[in-house]
Amino acid sequence: MFVLGTAGHIDHGKSVLVRALTGIDPDRLREEKERGMTIDLGFAWLTLPSGQEMGIVDVPGHERFIKNMLAGVGGIDLAMLIVAANEGVMPQTREHLAILDLLGIERGLVALTKKDLVDEEFLELVKMDVEELIVPTSLSKAPIVAVSAVTGDGMPDLISTIDELLSSTDSRKDTGRPRLPVDRVFTIAGSGTVVTGTLTDGSLSMGQDVEIVPTGLKSRIRGLQTHKARLDAVTSGSRVAVNLVGIATSQLQRGDVVTKPGWLTPTMMLSARLRLLPHLRRPLPHNATVSFHTGAAETMAKVRFLETDNLEPGDTAWAQLVLTNPVALVKGDYFIIRSTMDTLGGGRVVDSQTKRFRRFRSAIIDSLIVKEEGTSEEVIMTLLENKQPQDLPLLLAQADLPDDEARTAIESLLEQGQVKGVGQGEQRLLLTAHGWDGLIKQATAILQEYHRKFPARLGMPKAELGSRLKLGKYSPSVWQRLSDEEVLGEEGLAVRLASYQVRLSQAQQNAVDTFLRSLDQNPYSPPSDQIPEPDVLSLLIEQGRVVKIGDGVVFAASVYDEMVKIITSLIQSQGKVSLAEVRDLFKTSRKYVQALLEHLDEK
């Protein structure tokens, strides 16, 4: 399944040509039909003579609707630049072509429409102008076909040219991480919310759980359609309509991404090599505010140049874009930046989860070059060095490498010891060897300080240390590995340095001895005035020497076990037991028995 996208100036016959090709009117809005111009994206499809199916995205040509054009052109396999033979190259012809070039779209053709309105000599002049126009762009080798959608002249040649171009076009990559950038949201009576887009990087299937990024909403796929045909599954490169369960149209918008849960993290900052269009009249300054477009998403952004104060027209520089709103994208995605009325430039994302870099630092530029051009191992190492630890699914998503190639590189780095892995399988947490050493040093420093402040405690709560180290769900795996490496020791819900032993002061030890003697002397009526300070009492509880059953009521662990055994036996033989019976049995007071029985109820 392939998708063709139209491009070109307003009134050059894009929609008429699509209708002549497919028999489908792509102008779906009443306002479009009344005004005779495309305002938003239109969609159509056809089956080519070779049997290939092709979707068509028809985009608006008017300069006021360029942002709508950008929402549709990002997911295409083949571009068709349309130029009216009676008018020739016009402003939006140039702008649309520049956008296609910035998006790296290399496969396409030019359709010279309305050939019935000009003579052969004029047609040839227009063709020469177009040939000259496309030479410096990614569509430099695009064939040019003259047609008339009204008379049908040239249409067979156009169809065969499209068919031939698509027959030599590679299928979309399937990384197993499907993304559907949403370009339309609407409701169908009896079905509910439907979104459409061009599927990339994977497949979707009926009943599949999905996540909407960046909002984080969860849903399930109730239905799938491609070209109005119901399907059980759809593959990368397809134009898809997805019926979502449990989500209202008001919760969705153009630019959202439908994907499988748990791997795609929205970003507010990215690093990229930014190229400015050559025909601009002035340079772009550092910290300029622009509109940012990628996939079907749009937001405002600030441009931070890393190696210059101004980017001249036609030049390229490394930059960071700080986004106003979060956007779902990954390394390798193309983007466009615009001013209020003009397309300024664009580029390709090199790091979608970047931190803020200091400017004019050669080491930072070198690391970005490695991310863009390095070997698989170099790309993985650079990603981890800039942000670690990372879980395996996120690292695979950011690498922009074929899944098997990225996994092979990671396994090689693990074998070499350059990367450390914590956990198993898809749930592994990955760090560089240097990053792992840094984690050990950080954990050690935190625990040393904790042991100094609380010498009577067995260790620091695991949840607290995990939060300090920002380990999240990977904390248990990290504790296990650090324990295996004899860095840490685990004490129930606490963790300590492996070499640490509780050190009580002489006064604290005296208090412990006095308290334990009082428990031996009054096992069933333990005195509350001998209970030691909270940290020392917690230590005795963690060591299993005493059991606290309520405020001011603490039993020796052996006595507690004895009492529980006797009470349990009584209930088993009698069916129930009263507070008075237990009080008399242990020759104690109501205070202790009531606290004990309430404690047992809670347990």
Side-chain angles (χ1 to χ4, degrees):
M1 185 76 69
F2 295 102
V3 178
L4 176 146
T6 67
H9 195 77
I10 183 175
D11 242 4
H12 276 207
K14 294 186 294 297
S15 299
V16 174
L17 183 59
V18 170
R19 189 161 56 246
L21 277 170
T22 66
I24 298 169
D25 185 358
D27 287 342
R28 56 188 172 81
L29 302 177
R30 179 177 58 82
E31 188 179 358
E32 291 176 331
K33 297 182 185 298
E34 290 174 353
R35 295 168 64 173
M37 60 184 278
T38 300
I39 296 172
D40 206 345
L41 302 175
F43 305 99
W45 57 90
L46 79 159
T47 301
L48 295 164
S50 64
Q52 295 184 99
E53 286 194 20
M54 178 184 72
I56 297 178
V57 180
D58 183 36
V59 304
H62 197 286
E63 62 182 352
R64 287 182 297 166
F65 304 118
I66 287 290
K67 67 177 184 179
N68 291 343
M69 178 265 187
L70 288 167
V73 78
I76 65 175
D77 302 289
L78 189 72
M80 182 163 65
L81 181 65
I82 295 173
V83 182
N86 61 329
E87 292 189 2
V89 174
M90 297 292 281
Q92 264 56 65
T93 310
R94 298 181 185 278
E95 185 169 15
H96 282 207
L97 179 61
I99 289 169
L100 295 174
D101 185 45
L102 290 167
L103 293 176
I105 296 171
E106 298 180 346
R107 304 192 66 77
L109 71 157
V110 180
L112 295 182
T113 59
K114 306 184 182 183
K115 68 174 292 190
D116 55 306
L117 300 182
V118 300
D119 58 31
E120 286 296 324
E121 182 178 353
F122 193 86
L123 184 64
E124 190 61 31
L125 288 173
V126 174
K127 183 177 180 181
M128 291 170 61
D129 284 345
V130 171
E131 288 174 341
E132 183 179 349
L133 177 69
I134 66 176
V135 165
T137 73
S138 60
L139 293 181
S140 59
K141 298 179 181 179
I144 301 174
V145 182
V147 300
S148 170
V150 175
T151 67
D153 188 11
M155 292 298 290
D157 287 343
L158 179 65
I159 292 172
S160 64
T161 300
I162 293 171
D163 206 356
E164 184 178 343
L165 286 169
L166 288 181
S167 66
S168 58
T169 299
D170 293 333
S171 298
R172 294 288 187 95
K173 66 179 180 180
D174 187 341
T175 64
R177 297 183 289 273
R179 291 187 292 155
L180 185 77
V182 174
D183 52 39
R184 287 177 64 201
V185 182
F186 53 93
T187 300
I188 293 181
S191 296
T193 299
V194 175
V195 298
T196 67
T198 301
L199 183 62
T200 64
D201 298 342
S203 59
L204 294 174
S205 57
M206 282 278 289
Q208 180 177 344
D209 291 329
V210 293
E211 180 180 8
I212 316 300
V213 184
T215 60
L217 293 170
K218 299 296 194 297
S219 183
R220 180 172 49 82
I221 296 177
R222 175 186 285 156
L224 291 168
Q225 284 193 17
T226 292
H227 306 161
K228 292 194 174 181
R230 295 181 181 275
L231 299 172
D232 291 330
V234 289
T235 57
S236 181
S238 304
R239 278 295 307 173
V240 181
V242 182
N243 184 194
L244 296 172
V245 174
I247 293 184
T249 55
S250 60
Q251 296 176 281
L252 302 168
Q253 63 181 349
R254 175 176 284 178
D256 288 342
V257 175
V258 180
T259 185
K260 70 178 186 180
W263 74 273
L264 182 56
T265 304
T267 186
M268 295 284 286
M269 184 187 298
L270 59 96
S271 298
R273 196 191 288 269
L274 177 63
R275 174 160 64 98
L276 217 58
L277 292 177
H279 66 266
L280 300 179
R281 287 175 292 193
R282 58 181 63 88
L284 187 69
H286 173 68
N287 275 341
T289 298
V290 300
S291 62
F292 174 88
H293 305 259
T294 186
E298 173 191 2
T299 186
M300 300 304 293
K302 181 176 287 186
V303 180
R304 295 187 67 248
F305 290 120
L306 296 176
E307 51 185 343
T308 185
D309 288 322
N310 295 283
L311 184 59
E312 296 292 334
D315 286 352
T316 300
W318 285 104
Q320 292 191 294
L321 287 99
V322 184
L323 310 180
T324 302
N325 300 304
V327 173
L329 49 74
V330 298
K331 178 177 181 279
D333 284 353
Y334 286 93
F335 65 90
I336 299 292
I337 62 169
R338 302 191 79 243
S339 65
T340 306
M341 293 301 294
D342 298 312
T343 298
L344 302 175
R348 197 177 187 196
V349 177
V350 173
D351 187 352
S352 68
Q353 298 293 327
T354 189
K355 60 185 179 182
R356 188 181 181 92
F357 293 137
R358 298 182 67 181
R359 302 177 66 212
F360 302 106
R361 295 292 189 273
S362 58
I364 288 172
I365 301 302
D366 290 343
S367 72
L368 290 171
I369 292 172
V370 169
K371 284 186 180 180
E372 184 182 43
E373 303 174 354
T375 65
S376 301
E377 285 82 2
E378 289 172 335
V379 169
I380 296 297
M381 285 297 292
T382 304
L383 285 170
L384 283 176
E385 284 165 357
N386 284 345
K387 183 181 180 182
Q388 55 181 316
Q390 284 196 44
D391 61 26
L392 180 60
L394 178 60
L395 184 60
L396 292 172
Q398 299 307 316
D400 189 37
L401 296 168
D403 197 69
D404 55 347
E405 184 179 331
R407 290 178 184 274
T408 299
I410 291 169
E411 293 304 322
S412 174
L413 291 168
L414 286 167
E415 290 176 7
Q416 296 170 40
Q418 295 186 60
V419 169
K420 300 289 186 179
V422 178
Q424 300 295 322
E426 293 298 301
Q427 299 305 312
R428 278 183 295 178
L429 191 69
L430 300 169
L431 309 88
T432 64
H434 179 72
W436 179 248
D437 291 341
L439 179 67
I440 291 176
K441 289 178 181 178
Q442 188 181 2
T444 300
I446 292 172
L447 287 172
Q448 284 175 337
E449 176 65 14
Y450 191 88
H451 293 326
R452 185 189 67 78
K453 290 176 66 176
F454 306 106
R457 296 183 185 179
L458 277 178
M460 186 178 192
K462 291 178 178 178
E464 183 179 346
L465 182 59
S467 176
R468 294 274 298 273
L469 296 175
K470 299 179 181 179
L471 295 175
K473 65 181 180 181
Y474 293 98
S475 296
S477 298
V478 173
W479 308 150
Q480 182 61 55
R481 175 147 188 167
L482 289 175
S483 179
D484 292 344
E485 294 184 5
E486 298 184 350
V487 175
L488 303 182
E490 296 185 73
E491 299 287 346
L493 297 177
V495 63
R496 58 173 173 78
L497 290 174
S499 58
Y500 179 73
Q501 291 183 339
V502 173
R503 296 177 181 85
L504 297 180
S505 67
Q506 188 59 52
Q508 288 172 326
Q509 187 60 56
N510 291 340
V512 168
D513 294 341
T514 300
F515 176 57
L516 294 179
R517 277 199 302 272
S518 72
L519 295 185
D520 287 340
Q521 293 167 1
N522 303 281
Y524 306 118
S525 304
S528 58
D529 59 348
Q530 302 292 330
I531 296 175
E533 64 185 83
D535 278 358
V536 175
L537 177 61
S538 294
L539 174 64
L540 295 175
I541 293 170
E542 289 168 349
Q543 291 176 336
R545 301 172 73 178
V546 301
V547 177
K548 179 181 178 181
I549 64 170
D551 291 338
V553 181
V554 180
F555 288 107
S558 58
V559 173
Y560 171 81
D561 291 341
E562 175 198 355
M563 295 170 80
V564 170
K565 183 176 181 181
I566 291 172
I567 293 169
T568 303
S569 178
L570 276 172
I571 294 172
Q572 288 173 339
S573 62
Q574 300 177 179
K576 62 182 179 180
V577 67
S578 70
L579 187 149
E581 285 179 299
V582 177
R583 181 196 61 201
D584 296 342
L585 181 64
F586 295 115
K587 297 181 174 57
T588 184
S589 69
R590 179 184 181 87
K591 166 187 171 181
Y592 297 104
V593 175
Q594 183 168 339
L596 175 63
L597 295 181
E598 287 177 353
H599 169 81
L600 295 182
D601 278 345
E602 290 175 3
K603 293 292 183 181

PDB file of all heavy atoms in Angstrom, residues 3 38 55 81 110 113 116 136 198 225 227 240 270 325 356 379 392 401 419 422-423 452 477 494 505 507 565 567:
ATOM      1  N   VAL A   3       1.062   5.746  -0.663  1.00  0.00           N
ATOM      2  CA  VAL A   3       0.293   6.982  -0.607  1.00  0.00           C
ATOM      3  C   VAL A   3       0.973   8.035  -1.467  1.00  0.00           C
ATOM      4  O   VAL A   3       2.175   8.276  -1.351  1.00  0.00           O
ATOM      5  CB  VAL A   3       0.167   7.509   0.837  1.00  0.00           C
ATOM      6  CG1 VAL A   3      -0.599   8.828   0.860  1.00  0.00           C
ATOM      7  CG2 VAL A   3      -0.518   6.477   1.718  1.00  0.00           C
ATOM      8  N   THR A  38      -9.664  23.940  -2.516  1.00  0.00           N
ATOM      9  CA  THR A  38      -9.408  23.020  -1.412  1.00  0.00           C
ATOM     10  C   THR A  38      -8.887  23.808  -0.217  1.00  0.00           C
ATOM     11  O   THR A  38      -7.946  24.586  -0.331  1.00  0.00           O
ATOM     12  CB  THR A  38      -8.383  21.950  -1.826  1.00  0.00           C
ATOM     13  OG1 THR A  38      -8.916  21.231  -2.943  1.00  0.00           O
ATOM     14  CG2 THR A  38      -8.106  20.984  -0.687  1.00  0.00           C
ATOM     15  N   GLY A  55      -3.327   5.192  -2.113  1.00  0.00           N
ATOM     16  CA  GLY A  55      -4.126   6.264  -1.548  1.00  0.00           C
ATOM     17  C   GLY A  55      -3.596   7.600  -2.033  1.00  0.00           C
ATOM     18  O   GLY A  55      -2.416   7.727  -2.376  1.00  0.00           O
ATOM     19  N   LEU A  81       3.820  16.941  -8.045  1.00  0.00           N
ATOM     20  CA  LEU A  81       3.796  18.396  -8.133  1.00  0.00           C
ATOM     21  C   LEU A  81       2.993  18.788  -9.365  1.00  0.00           C
ATOM     22  O   LEU A  81       3.286  18.346 -10.473  1.00  0.00           O
ATOM     23  CB  LEU A  81       5.213  18.945  -8.236  1.00  0.00           C
ATOM     24  CG  LEU A  81       5.348  20.464  -8.319  1.00  0.00           C
ATOM     25  CD1 LEU A  81       4.871  21.119  -7.022  1.00  0.00           C
ATOM     26  CD2 LEU A  81       6.790  20.863  -8.622  1.00  0.00           C
ATOM     27  N   VAL A 110       6.029  15.307 -11.966  1.00  0.00           N
ATOM     28  CA  VAL A 110       5.374  16.591 -12.191  1.00  0.00           C
ATOM     29  C   VAL A 110       4.269  16.382 -13.214  1.00  0.00           C
ATOM     30  O   VAL A 110       4.497  15.796 -14.274  1.00  0.00           O
ATOM     31  CB  VAL A 110       6.359  17.654 -12.698  1.00  0.00           C
ATOM     32  CG1 VAL A 110       5.631  18.981 -12.923  1.00  0.00           C
ATOM     33  CG2 VAL A 110       7.509  17.833 -11.720  1.00  0.00           C
ATOM     34  N   THR A 113      -0.809  20.234 -15.892  1.00  0.00           N
ATOM     35  CA  THR A 113      -2.255  20.144 -16.144  1.00  0.00           C
ATOM     36  C   THR A 113      -2.713  21.221 -17.127  1.00  0.00           C
ATOM     37  O   THR A 113      -1.973  22.141 -17.472  1.00  0.00           O
ATOM     38  CB  THR A 113      -3.020  20.289 -14.826  1.00  0.00           C
ATOM     39  OG1 THR A 113      -2.683  21.553 -14.242  1.00  0.00           O
ATOM     40  CG2 THR A 113      -2.661  19.183 -13.847  1.00  0.00           C
ATOM     41  N   ASP A 116      -4.771  21.319 -22.552  1.00  0.00           N
ATOM     42  CA  ASP A 116      -5.721  21.648 -23.617  1.00  0.00           C
ATOM     43  C   ASP A 116      -5.903  23.160 -23.782  1.00  0.00           C
ATOM     44  O   ASP A 116      -6.484  23.621 -24.765  1.00  0.00           O
ATOM     45  CB  ASP A 116      -7.081  21.005 -23.330  1.00  0.00           C
ATOM     46  CG  ASP A 116      -7.618  21.381 -21.950  1.00  0.00           C
ATOM     47  OD1 ASP A 116      -6.875  21.178 -20.975  1.00  0.00           O
ATOM     48  OD2 ASP A 116      -8.757  21.868 -21.853  1.00  0.00           O
ATOM     49  N   PRO A 136      17.753  21.619  -8.448  1.00  0.00           N
ATOM     50  CA  PRO A 136      18.473  21.610  -7.173  1.00  0.00           C
ATOM     51  C   PRO A 136      17.727  20.940  -6.027  1.00  0.00           C
ATOM     52  O   PRO A 136      18.147  21.034  -4.872  1.00  0.00           O
ATOM     53  CB  PRO A 136      18.664  23.113  -6.885  1.00  0.00           C
ATOM     54  CG  PRO A 136      17.489  23.758  -7.519  1.00  0.00           C
ATOM     55  CD  PRO A 136      17.143  22.933  -8.720  1.00  0.00           C
ATOM     56  N   THR A 198      -1.927   8.397   8.020  1.00  0.00           N
ATOM     57  CA  THR A 198      -1.090   7.465   7.269  1.00  0.00           C
ATOM     58  C   THR A 198      -0.215   6.708   8.255  1.00  0.00           C
ATOM     59  O   THR A 198       0.596   7.313   8.968  1.00  0.00           O
ATOM     60  CB  THR A 198      -0.215   8.207   6.243  1.00  0.00           C
ATOM     61  OG1 THR A 198      -1.060   8.930   5.342  1.00  0.00           O
ATOM     62  CG2 THR A 198       0.623   7.222   5.444  1.00  0.00           C
ATOM     63  N   GLN A 225     -10.423   0.596   8.815  1.00  0.00           N
ATOM     64  CA  GLN A 225     -10.796   0.673   7.403  1.00  0.00           C
ATOM     65  C   GLN A 225      -9.646   1.277   6.609  1.00  0.00           C
ATOM     66  O   GLN A 225      -8.939   2.165   7.078  1.00  0.00           O
ATOM     67  CB  GLN A 225     -12.047   1.536   7.184  1.00  0.00           C
ATOM     68  CG  GLN A 225     -13.350   0.875   7.554  1.00  0.00           C
ATOM     69  CD  GLN A 225     -14.547   1.640   7.033  1.00  0.00           C
ATOM     70  OE1 GLN A 225     -14.426   2.481   6.144  1.00  0.00           O
ATOM     71  NE2 GLN A 225     -15.711   1.360   7.584  1.00  0.00           N
ATOM     72  N   HIS A 227      -9.505   2.667   2.590  1.00  0.00           N
ATOM     73  CA  HIS A 227     -10.273   2.908   1.360  1.00  0.00           C
ATOM     74  C   HIS A 227     -11.687   2.339   1.475  1.00  0.00           C
ATOM     75  O   HIS A 227     -12.188   1.669   0.562  1.00  0.00           O
ATOM     76  CB  HIS A 227      -9.544   2.318   0.136  1.00  0.00           C
ATOM     77  CG  HIS A 227      -8.131   2.814   0.011  1.00  0.00           C
ATOM     78  ND1 HIS A 227      -7.186   2.168  -0.751  1.00  0.00           N
ATOM     79  CD2 HIS A 227      -7.512   3.883   0.561  1.00  0.00           C
ATOM     80  CE1 HIS A 227      -6.037   2.828  -0.663  1.00  0.00           C
ATOM     81  NE2 HIS A 227      -6.226   3.876   0.125  1.00  0.00           N
ATOM     82  N   VAL A 240      -5.376   4.969   6.818  1.00  0.00           N
ATOM     83  CA  VAL A 240      -6.173   4.180   7.747  1.00  0.00           C
ATOM     84  C   VAL A 240      -7.196   5.055   8.463  1.00  0.00           C
ATOM     85  O   VAL A 240      -6.905   6.191   8.844  1.00  0.00           O
ATOM     86  CB  VAL A 240      -5.273   3.508   8.807  1.00  0.00           C
ATOM     87  CG1 VAL A 240      -6.098   2.665   9.759  1.00  0.00           C
ATOM     88  CG2 VAL A 240      -4.199   2.662   8.149  1.00  0.00           C
ATOM     89  N   LEU A 270      14.109  19.277  21.056  1.00  0.00           N
ATOM     90  CA  LEU A 270      14.781  18.336  20.172  1.00  0.00           C
ATOM     91  C   LEU A 270      16.029  18.985  19.595  1.00  0.00           C
ATOM     92  O   LEU A 270      16.164  20.212  19.556  1.00  0.00           O
ATOM     93  CB  LEU A 270      13.842  17.881  19.054  1.00  0.00           C
ATOM     94  CG  LEU A 270      13.276  18.987  18.160  1.00  0.00           C
ATOM     95  CD1 LEU A 270      14.099  19.142  16.884  1.00  0.00           C
ATOM     96  CD2 LEU A 270      11.819  18.691  17.806  1.00  0.00           C
ATOM     97  N   ASN A 325       4.356  23.319  23.035  1.00  0.00           N
ATOM     98  CA  ASN A 325       3.505  22.199  23.441  1.00  0.00           C
ATOM     99  C   ASN A 325       4.219  20.882  23.147  1.00  0.00           C
ATOM    100  O   ASN A 325       5.006  20.793  22.189  1.00  0.00           O
ATOM    101  CB  ASN A 325       2.170  22.234  22.683  1.00  0.00           C
ATOM    102  CG  ASN A 325       1.398  23.504  22.953  1.00  0.00           C
ATOM    103  OD1 ASN A 325       1.116  23.834  24.092  1.00  0.00           O
ATOM    104  ND2 ASN A 325       1.066  24.243  21.902  1.00  0.00           N
ATOM    105  N   ARG A 356      19.141  20.426  27.340  1.00  0.00           N
ATOM    106  CA  ARG A 356      19.571  21.734  26.857  1.00  0.00           C
ATOM    107  C   ARG A 356      21.100  21.778  26.821  1.00  0.00           C
ATOM    108  O   ARG A 356      21.761  21.584  27.831  1.00  0.00           O
ATOM    109  CB  ARG A 356      19.027  22.837  27.772  1.00  0.00           C
ATOM    110  CG  ARG A 356      19.247  24.258  27.258  1.00  0.00           C
ATOM    111  CD  ARG A 356      18.692  25.254  28.266  1.00  0.00           C
ATOM    112  NE  ARG A 356      18.853  26.625  27.832  1.00  0.00           N
ATOM    113  CZ  ARG A 356      17.940  27.303  27.144  1.00  0.00           C
ATOM    114  NH1 ARG A 356      16.803  26.717  26.820  1.00  0.00           N
ATOM    115  NH2 ARG A 356      18.152  28.556  26.787  1.00  0.00           N
ATOM    116  N   VAL A 379      25.898   5.157  17.691  1.00  0.00           N
ATOM    117  CA  VAL A 379      24.603   5.811  17.911  1.00  0.00           C
ATOM    118  C   VAL A 379      24.035   5.414  19.277  1.00  0.00           C
ATOM    119  O   VAL A 379      23.576   6.266  20.048  1.00  0.00           O
ATOM    120  CB  VAL A 379      23.606   5.453  16.785  1.00  0.00           C
ATOM    121  CG1 VAL A 379      22.195   5.905  17.150  1.00  0.00           C
ATOM    122  CG2 VAL A 379      24.039   6.108  15.476  1.00  0.00           C
ATOM    123  N   LEU A 392      14.930  -0.309  27.480  1.00  0.00           N
ATOM    124  CA  LEU A 392      15.186  -0.845  26.147  1.00  0.00           C
ATOM    125  C   LEU A 392      14.187  -0.345  25.105  1.00  0.00           C
ATOM    126  O   LEU A 392      14.595   0.090  24.023  1.00  0.00           O
ATOM    127  CB  LEU A 392      15.198  -2.380  26.201  1.00  0.00           C
ATOM    128  CG  LEU A 392      15.446  -3.096  24.860  1.00  0.00           C
ATOM    129  CD1 LEU A 392      16.785  -2.702  24.278  1.00  0.00           C
ATOM    130  CD2 LEU A 392      15.370  -4.617  25.050  1.00  0.00           C
ATOM    131  N   LEU A 401      17.040   3.045  14.007  1.00  0.00           N
ATOM    132  CA  LEU A 401      17.720   1.949  13.337  1.00  0.00           C
ATOM    133  C   LEU A 401      16.731   0.806  13.169  1.00  0.00           C
ATOM    134  O   LEU A 401      15.789   0.678  13.952  1.00  0.00           O
ATOM    135  CB  LEU A 401      18.903   1.453  14.178  1.00  0.00           C
ATOM    136  CG  LEU A 401      20.060   2.429  14.413  1.00  0.00           C
ATOM    137  CD1 LEU A 401      20.981   1.879  15.502  1.00  0.00           C
ATOM    138  CD2 LEU A 401      20.841   2.665  13.129  1.00  0.00           C
ATOM    139  N   VAL A 419      28.321  -1.366  27.895  1.00  0.00           N
ATOM    140  CA  VAL A 419      26.971  -1.074  28.364  1.00  0.00           C
ATOM    141  C   VAL A 419      26.602  -2.076  29.439  1.00  0.00           C
ATOM    142  O   VAL A 419      26.964  -3.258  29.354  1.00  0.00           O
ATOM    143  CB  VAL A 419      25.956  -1.130  27.192  1.00  0.00           C
ATOM    144  CG1 VAL A 419      24.521  -1.103  27.702  1.00  0.00           C
ATOM    145  CG2 VAL A 419      26.190   0.035  26.234  1.00  0.00           C
ATOM    146  N   VAL A 422      20.310  -3.981  33.314  1.00  0.00           N
ATOM    147  CA  VAL A 422      19.675  -4.359  34.576  1.00  0.00           C
ATOM    148  C   VAL A 422      18.287  -4.896  34.257  1.00  0.00           C
ATOM    149  O   VAL A 422      17.513  -4.247  33.553  1.00  0.00           O
ATOM    150  CB  VAL A 422      19.566  -3.153  35.526  1.00  0.00           C
ATOM    151  CG1 VAL A 422      18.860  -3.561  36.811  1.00  0.00           C
ATOM    152  CG2 VAL A 422      20.940  -2.573  35.825  1.00  0.00           C
ATOM    153  N   GLY A 423      17.955  -6.067  34.770  1.00  0.00           N
ATOM    154  CA  GLY A 423      16.668  -6.679  34.468  1.00  0.00           C
ATOM    155  C   GLY A 423      16.783  -7.666  33.322  1.00  0.00           C
ATOM    156  O   GLY A 423      17.881  -7.977  32.844  1.00  0.00           O
ATOM    157  N   ARG A 452      24.911   7.840  58.454  1.00  0.00           N
ATOM    158  CA  ARG A 452      25.495   8.792  59.399  1.00  0.00           C
ATOM    159  C   ARG A 452      24.408   9.478  60.229  1.00  0.00           C
ATOM    160  O   ARG A 452      24.560   9.656  61.431  1.00  0.00           O
ATOM    161  CB  ARG A 452      26.309   9.837  58.637  1.00  0.00           C
ATOM    162  CG  ARG A 452      27.070  10.804  59.539  1.00  0.00           C
ATOM    163  CD  ARG A 452      27.681  11.940  58.750  1.00  0.00           C
ATOM    164  NE  ARG A 452      26.653  12.805  58.178  1.00  0.00           N
ATOM    165  CZ  ARG A 452      25.984  13.723  58.855  1.00  0.00           C
ATOM    166  NH1 ARG A 452      26.192  13.889  60.162  1.00  0.00           N
ATOM    167  NH2 ARG A 452      25.079  14.462  58.268  1.00  0.00           N
ATOM    168  N   SER A 477      15.145  -4.439  40.260  1.00  0.00           N
ATOM    169  CA  SER A 477      16.219  -5.043  39.468  1.00  0.00           C
ATOM    170  C   SER A 477      17.573  -4.429  39.810  1.00  0.00           C
ATOM    171  O   SER A 477      18.593  -5.126  39.838  1.00  0.00           O
ATOM    172  CB  SER A 477      15.929  -4.869  37.969  1.00  0.00           C
ATOM    173  OG  SER A 477      14.739  -5.530  37.601  1.00  0.00           O
ATOM    174  N   ALA A 494      13.982  -2.148  53.339  1.00  0.00           N
ATOM    175  CA  ALA A 494      15.093  -1.199  53.421  1.00  0.00           C
ATOM    176  C   ALA A 494      16.301  -1.731  52.659  1.00  0.00           C
ATOM    177  O   ALA A 494      16.396  -2.913  52.332  1.00  0.00           O
ATOM    178  CB  ALA A 494      15.458  -0.927  54.880  1.00  0.00           C
ATOM    179  N   SER A 505      24.711   3.612  70.294  1.00  0.00           N
ATOM    180  CA  SER A 505      25.519   4.242  71.333  1.00  0.00           C
ATOM    181  C   SER A 505      25.370   3.438  72.632  1.00  0.00           C
ATOM    182  O   SER A 505      24.469   2.603  72.762  1.00  0.00           O
ATOM    183  CB  SER A 505      25.063   5.694  71.543  1.00  0.00           C
ATOM    184  OG  SER A 505      23.749   5.698  72.102  1.00  0.00           O
ATOM    185  N   ALA A 507      24.356   4.479  75.457  1.00  0.00           N
ATOM    186  CA  ALA A 507      23.073   4.815  76.080  1.00  0.00           C
ATOM    187  C   ALA A 507      21.928   4.068  75.408  1.00  0.00           C
ATOM    188  O   ALA A 507      20.999   3.568  76.086  1.00  0.00           O
ATOM    189  CB  ALA A 507      22.836   6.324  76.005  1.00  0.00           C
ATOM    190  N   LYS A 565      -0.829 -18.272  69.003  1.00  0.00           N
ATOM    191  CA  LYS A 565      -1.063 -19.715  68.878  1.00  0.00           C
ATOM    192  C   LYS A 565      -2.169 -20.176  69.831  1.00  0.00           C
ATOM    193  O   LYS A 565      -3.062 -20.952  69.449  1.00  0.00           O
ATOM    194  CB  LYS A 565       0.239 -20.455  69.160  1.00  0.00           C
ATOM    195  CG  LYS A 565       0.140 -21.956  68.981  1.00  0.00           C
ATOM    196  CD  LYS A 565       1.507 -22.618  69.194  1.00  0.00           C
ATOM    197  CE  LYS A 565       1.412 -24.125  68.995  1.00  0.00           C
ATOM    198  NZ  LYS A 565       2.732 -24.785  69.213  1.00  0.00           N
ATOM    199  N   ILE A 567      -4.604 -18.281  71.293  1.00  0.00           N
ATOM    200  CA  ILE A 567      -5.899 -17.688  70.929  1.00  0.00           C
ATOM    201  C   ILE A 567      -6.480 -18.397  69.714  1.00  0.00           C
ATOM    202  O   ILE A 567      -7.671 -18.704  69.653  1.00  0.00           O
ATOM    203  CB  ILE A 567      -5.732 -16.178  70.667  1.00  0.00           C
ATOM    204  CG1 ILE A 567      -5.374 -15.455  71.966  1.00  0.00           C
ATOM    205  CG2 ILE A 567      -7.000 -15.582  70.055  1.00  0.00           C
ATOM    206  CD1 ILE A 567      -4.943 -14.013  71.769  1.00  0.00           C
TER     207      ILE A 567
END
